[in-house]
Amino acid sequence: MPRQKRPMTVNSVIFNVMFILAYPVIALFTFLYTVLVWIFSVPSRIFVFFASKSKQDKSTDTEKDNDSHS
């Protein structure tokens, strides 16, 4: 038994066009969202970088103090 095709209506054509156009829009939104998250995370990355640097400096100072007391 052959399958019957749906009739092409104006609404189905509009839906197909919108469905095809949605992919680039979704990709663009995802890209922009990723870039914004990266930009807004830069200050916290800088803070963590300097915080870990000062923590390492303090630990090396403590090790030097302990070595000099020995």
Side-chain angles (χ1 to χ4, degrees), residues 15 20 27 35 37 41 51 56 59:
F15 174 80
I20 291 168
V35 168
V37 167
S41 70
Q56 287 174 355
S59 67

Side-chain angles (χ1 to χ4, degrees), residues 13 15 29 42-43:
V13 171
F15 174 80
F29 173 78
V42 167

Side-chain angles (χ1 to χ4, degrees), residues 8-61:
M8 289 295 286
T9 63
V10 173
N11 289 338
S12 65
V13 171
I14 291 172
F15 174 80
N16 287 332
V17 169
M18 296 297 281
F19 191 78
I20 291 168
L21 292 177
Y23 286 106
V25 172
I26 292 169
L28 180 64
F29 173 78
T30 305
F31 175 75
L32 291 177
Y33 190 83
T34 303
V35 168
L36 281 176
V37 167
W38 185 83
I39 288 171
F40 287 133
S41 70
V42 167
S44 65
R45 289 175 187 235
I46 292 170
F47 177 76
V48 168
F49 175 77
F50 286 114
S52 66
K53 277 281 204 190
S54 66
K55 192 174 186 180
Q56 287 174 355
D57 291 344
K58 286 180 184 177
S59 67
T60 55
D61 290 344

